[in-house]
C-alpha cells in the first residue's frame, strides 16, 4: 500500500527567538509532522538544539516529532531524546560502527526508528537493517546547513530505496532543497515524506507558511497522480 504524502517543516529555518510560536504556526498551517534537526558541530559543521529544546517544544504541537540526529556518537543521547518527546528518532549510517545496535536501542525505547543516508552514501549500506527501520531519510543536500541547492541524484537513490523497502511499511523521507519545483521528482521516485525548511518558512508569517506548505503538497500530490 502506498504511504501517505506527508509534509514535515524543518524548524531549522524557523525564527529561533520564538520557536514555540513558530511550531504552533506551521502546525496550524497544515504541517503533518514537525522535523527537528539536531547538529553537534562534530558530525556536521553546525550546532543547533538538544533534548531540552525538544522537551520545551513538545507542548506546542501534538503532531509527530521527527527528530533527525546529525550527531556522533548518537547512542548516549537516544534515551534523552526519547524522553523529551521524540516520536521518530533517525540516526545516520555514517555516524558510528554499530547502526544495528542504535536502531535496536531506539525501538527498545518505544520509538520509531529511522536511518539516514548522506549524498555520498550508497543504498546498499542499509540492506542489513531494512527490517529494523520505520523510515529511511535521503539527504538531498550535504547535512549541516539549510538553504542549500537540491542534488538531483537523490531521486534515483529514492527510487532504489523504495524498491528495497518493497511491501514493508517504511516511509521514504527526503530532506534538502525541497520546493514546489523539486517536490515532483522526489515524489515520483517514491518519497512520501518531504522535509522543507526555507521553502516553508519564507515570508515569515503564518499565512505564508500555509501557502508554502500547500504549494509543496500540491506539487507532490500531482506527481503522485493524486488530486491536488
Amino acid at each position: 500500500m502506498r504511504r501517505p504524502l506527508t509534509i514535515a517543516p524543518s524548524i531549522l529555518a524557523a525564527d529561533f527567538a520564538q520557536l514555540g510560536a513558530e511550531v504552533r504556526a506551521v502546525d496550524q498551517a497544515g504541517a503533518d509532522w514537525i522535523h527537528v534537526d539536531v547538529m553537534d558541530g562534530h558530525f556536521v559543521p553546525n550546532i543547533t538544539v538538544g533534548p531540552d529544546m525538544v522537551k520545551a517544544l513538545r507542548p506546542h504541537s501534538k503532531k509527530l516529532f521527527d527528530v533527525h540526529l546529525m550527531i556522533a556518537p548518537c547512542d548516549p543521547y537516544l534515551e534523552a531524546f526519547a524522553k523529551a518527546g521524540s516520536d521518530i528518532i533517525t540516526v545516520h549510517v555514517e555516524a558510528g560502527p554499530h547502526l544495528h545496535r542504535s536502531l535496536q536501542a531506539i525501538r527498545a525505547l518505544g520509538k520509531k526508528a529511522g536511518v539516514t543516508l548522506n549524498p555520498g552514501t550508497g543504498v546498499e549500506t542499509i540492506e542489513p537493517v531494512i527490517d529494523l527501520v520505520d523510515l529511511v531519510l535521503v539527504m538531498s543536500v550535504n547535512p549541516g546547513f539549510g538553504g542549500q541547492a537540491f542534488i538531483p541524484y537523490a531521486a534515483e537513490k529514492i527510487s532504489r530505496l523504495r524498491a528495497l523497502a518493497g511491501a514493508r511499511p517504511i516511509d521514504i523521507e527526503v530532506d534538502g532543497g525541497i520546493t514546489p519545483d523539486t517536490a515532483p521528482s522526489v515524489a515520483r521516485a517514491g518519497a512520501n515524506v518531504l522535509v522543507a525548511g526555507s521553502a516553508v518558512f519564507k515570508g515569515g508569517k503564518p499565512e505564508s507558511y500555509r501557502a508554502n506548505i500547500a504549494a509543496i503538497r500540491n506539487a507532490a500530490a500531482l506527481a503522485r497522480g493524486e488530486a491536488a
Side-chain angles (χ1 to χ4, degrees), residues 102-115:
S102 300
L103 295 170
Q104 281 184 317
I106 294 168
R107 285 177 164 264
L109 290 163
K111 304 300 178 179
K112 289 188 174 182
V115 63

Side-chain angles (χ1 to χ4, degrees), residues 27-221:
D27 180 324
Q28 295 164 13
D32 300 300
W33 296 358
I34 305 297
H35 188 82
V36 182
D37 288 306
V38 179
M39 306 181 187
D40 64 358
H42 167 69
F43 180 66
V44 293
N46 198 4
I47 299 173
T48 54
V49 303
D52 287 346
M53 182 62 77
V54 174
K55 183 178 180 181
L57 293 175
R58 185 68 273 187
H60 292 275
S61 175
K62 293 183 179 179
K63 299 286 174 68
L64 185 148
F65 269 28
D66 173 30
V67 178
H68 174 196
L69 300 186
M70 288 169 271
I71 64 176
C74 61
D75 289 6
Y77 305 99
L78 297 176
E79 184 174 3
F81 278 104
K83 288 182 175 179
S86 307
D87 296 296
I88 301 175
I89 299 176
T90 303
V91 297
H92 273 255
V93 169
E94 312 87 359
H98 303 297
L99 177 60
H100 190 280
R101 178 187 294 165
S102 300
L103 295 170
Q104 281 184 317
I106 294 168
R107 285 177 164 264
L109 290 163
K111 304 300 178 179
K112 289 188 174 182
V115 63
T116 310
L117 299 172
N118 277 337
T121 302
V123 169
E124 68 279 358
T125 59
I126 68 161
E127 287 185 36
V129 297
I130 193 66
D131 288 316
L132 275 178
V133 300
D134 301 288
L135 175 146
V136 179
L137 169 55
V138 174
M139 292 303 300
S140 44
V141 298
N142 284 293
F145 297 96
Q148 299 182 67
F150 175 78
I151 298 172
Y153 173 67
E156 180 180 332
K157 185 181 282 188
I158 289 165
S159 179
R160 292 170 61 199
L161 283 166
R162 179 51 72 194
L164 176 62
R168 299 175 182 87
I170 294 175
D171 290 306
I172 305 294
E173 183 173 46
V174 59
D175 182 2
I178 298 302
T179 68
D181 293 328
T182 57
S185 67
V186 297
R188 282 192 294 267
N192 68 290
V193 181
L194 277 57
V195 176
S198 303
V200 166
F201 284 97
K202 68 179 182 181
K205 296 180 180 179
E207 57 267 29
S208 300
Y209 304 164
R210 182 174 296 280
N212 296 339
I213 290 171
I216 295 168
R217 189 187 304 280
N218 290 345

